[in-house]
Amino acid sequence: MGIVFGGRTLKQAVDERDRAEAESGHSYGLRSLPLLDGDPPKLQRLYWKLITAAQYGRDTCILLSTSPASISGELLLTIATPEGNAVAASWGLTGHAGALKLMISTMAEFGYDEDPGTGGINDGDIFSCNDPVYGSSQNNDIYTCLPLIHRDQLVGWVAGSLHIVDAGGALMPGMAIISPTTYTDGLVVPPMKTGQNFQQSKAWELTLTRRTRLGQLNIMDDKMKLVGAMIVRERLLQMVDEFGSEYFIGAAQEILERDRRIIVDQIKAWQVPWTSHHPRVRVLQLADVMGKAFPAAATDHMMHEPATCQFELDGTVVQDFRGASSENLTSHNIYEGGYNLGLYIDYPVLAMTPTINSAIQNVTRRKTDPGTIFNPNRTDLGSTLGCVVALDVGGYGLGHGYVQSRFARGFLEQCWIDEIMWSIASTEGTFANGEPYAAADWSLVSNSPMGVGAWRDGIACSLGTGNPTGDIGEAEDHEFLGPVMVHLARGLLQDAAAHGKYRGALGFNMGWLVDNPGGTTVFHFGGSPMGVGGSIVGLFGGYPALPYYVLLLRGTNARELIAKGIPLPASFVEAREALAEGTLTAREVTDSATEAPDWQGEDGDLIYVATEMGSSWGEPLDRAPERVKDDLVQGWISPAVAETVYGVVASTEGGTCAVDAEATAAARAAIKAKRKERAIPVKEWWGQERERVRKGDLPDLTRAMYKDCLKRQTFRDGFLPFWHLPDDYGDTLR
């Protein structure tokens, strides 16, 4: 007799679900909803009990944690069916609710409930996973999962998920941003029983201690997730006693089918049947970084990351990633767990339901080519940034498709751009006594700017898409865990915005002073968008998002300035001015609008970052002069930018601001005239570019990317006809 309610094995339960859904298109094959139709208040009462149980568990257990990652929003508690379908979840990073389904499916496939090596699945067992091939979204995201056993039968699961500050990657804490294979990713654990009797094993604690830089912190977070899962489990068992096992499971299935129908209905109401293409490229400069240690991976890449969004007439959504670059020795390969997290970030845009669950997975379909970065054949490739690539193509590419489809319906107020922007500053090293440390500043991990709309500007640091609790308010915690990095300043930057009729969000500035590291300290910054990566395009004539910018100053006179009471620069703009004036001196100056290099820091070094500058909407010259005036008054833009970008001439003398209407009209006319002088007809441009493409007169990385992607039919079907090229064109590229 199987462990799952009804006497089934876990594999039988998962197979029955998959078969029923494939045959009917409905969650669990439910063509009708007898429990909901028969007694709506009863089912709704259980529904809200599930939601409040998850949130109560999160709000309680979070008090035990020492990690800013949990305090500031990453922690998620999820309630799932026996097959792993999320029914309800707390606040937190929504994507983990989608990846949990993969973890339970893996356990079913390999027969964990009948495994003699572990004794099966029992009440009080604890299962952990951070492997994106078999369960989690990435190795920094560790799941702690408890079976919900009622009268010796499995009626569900409770899981806690959290991004740990360090997973032991070869090169950097936070996330192994440069990692060619799973062997350099750090700790990678497939679904594994790590404890019994609601107690994690000593072996698991030793693993976290031995394989990560922050073992004790990770153990504390692990205990916190376990406590949260136990709190939720206790409440769920009370619900099962109240409603009965059969009703509890049946109601969970009906909730998923009901929410699936809600999403479909909302898509039909809000979206226009639509197909839109959002290709992007990402350049990875690894030739010098990998060096002799990883010669096979010491290659620069230009990766093609296509995303096609298609809204079907039946209300389902097709996400098409065919034509992508081949799998490779980088950290950017997307396994199923990473893709699931990326899909769920779009959940708030499409669903608008009270809780997070697996209903969205039965609305969305994915198309990929095997052997590409979106569907690797190998399971040993680096994947620490795989979920980030999924976020990028989902938030930037598919999100724009959602916006344009909704815009075509005419709902201007709802056309906001879903742009996932993140930044992590990581440090590692040793103190003077040789004790190692690692830290990561998460201030801007889930505080993306709210994308610009068809009627308003973007809003800085206001939105964690798929994560309603952001990281921006926890600077002191990050500083406490990274004591050699002292925050100098945080705030918005003048003129650091993508310009348009409605401008993008203002860029966010952070500055640090390296303070008495004692031993060694290495700084690394990563985020999106990168200057060498695919841009986040603007809409309807607006400027694209700006890449992040990093200024590194080594060997400064910061200590002398502090001793004299002279304030240190608060931003890279002030730092540049101080360097020019001679007030600030530096032995070495490095600026980067791309992936920031590893930086061996020393006492008194200064580091400045500008990031989070989202895209814009519409032609900048169409911006209302009064809006430009307001920006001038608030100090968000300078008079020079107002005149040269927006064509608005204004007087700001005497503490007042007045727009000169006649001068503004003349300035805008002059800007348009200059554009016409340097413009060429599209036909002429196409002819010039086609000749370059035909001859293969292309940069090396571009040529290599085309040659690779031409192996895939979807790319060929778009590329060859557009440039009027023969079928054997790929064979001529060298």
Side-chain angles (χ1 to χ4, degrees), residues 529-545:
M530 296 184 295
V532 294
S535 64
I536 304 174
V537 298
L539 288 176
F540 307 107
Y543 283 28

Side-chain angles (χ1 to χ4, degrees), residues 632-654:
L632 286 168
V633 172
Q634 296 294 333
W636 299 141
I637 66 172
S638 63
V641 166
E643 186 167 349
T644 59
V645 176
Y646 292 104
V648 172
V649 181
S651 171
T652 57
E653 297 178 359

Side-chain angles (χ1 to χ4, degrees), residues 87-120:
V87 182
S90 67
W91 286 3
L93 192 59
T94 60
H96 298 306
L100 178 63
K101 183 177 180 180
L102 175 61
M103 177 180 173
I104 304 304
S105 294
T106 296
M107 295 170 66
E109 179 184 354
F110 290 98
Y112 277 39
D113 48 330
E114 300 179 317
D115 186 356
T118 62

Side-chain angles (χ1 to χ4, degrees), residues 140 142 163-169 172-175 211-215 217-218 438-440:
N140 273 84
I142 297 184
H163 187 118
I164 61 174
V165 176
D166 173 60
M172 285 305 299
M175 286 191 292
R211 288 295 295 118
T212 69
R213 297 173 179 85
L214 296 172
L217 182 63
N218 291 337

Side-chain angles (χ1 to χ4, degrees), residues 245-259:
S245 297
E246 184 173 358
Y247 184 91
F248 182 84
I249 292 177
Q253 294 177 358
E254 288 199 15
I255 287 169
L256 290 168
E257 172 58 14
R258 179 199 63 181
D259 285 3

Side-chain angles (χ1 to χ4, degrees), residues 8 105 208 303 354 384 581 587 602:
R8 301 162 295 165
S105 294
L208 293 175
M303 296 197 316
T384 54
E581 295 168 354
R587 185 176 72 250
E602 58 188 59

